[in-house]
Amino acid sequence: MYELDKAAFGRFLAQLRREKGMTQKELAATLYVSDKAVSKWERGQGCPDVGMLPRLAKIFGVSVEGILD
């Protein structure tokens, strides 16, 4: 079974967000979550719900698989 490296996922998410010129607060508002949730994901202390992955992929112009890899 596949286990997500939360720290690597968080670093990648933060990189994508910065490349897009978004703040954590802006990303949070787009996803209808708190900026604290985005911060938690980026610090590797949690992950977004799997149902949110397609929205993240669309926002950043990558595939869901690309986010998970």
Side-chain angles (χ1 to χ4, degrees):
M1 183 163 187
Y2 179 80
E3 186 169 327
L4 183 66
D5 180 342
K6 291 178 187 175
F9 174 83
R11 285 189 301 272
F12 184 60
L13 183 62
Q15 175 188 341
L16 291 173
R17 179 182 56 76
R18 288 184 192 111
E19 287 174 1
K20 195 77 165 174
M22 297 179 84
T23 65
Q24 288 181 344
K25 194 169 202 158
E26 290 169 334
L27 178 58
T30 303
L31 296 171
Y32 304 104
V33 298
S34 71
D35 57 331
K36 305 259 187 275
V38 173
S39 174
K40 189 175 181 178
W41 302 338
E42 290 185 0
R43 289 181 285 124
Q45 296 182 347
C47 291
D49 183 80
V50 71
M52 203 170 292
L53 294 178
R55 291 190 67 202
L56 282 168
K58 186 174 181 180
I59 290 167
F60 296 124
V62 297
S63 66
V64 172
E65 293 82 10
I67 288 178
L68 294 174
D69 286 340

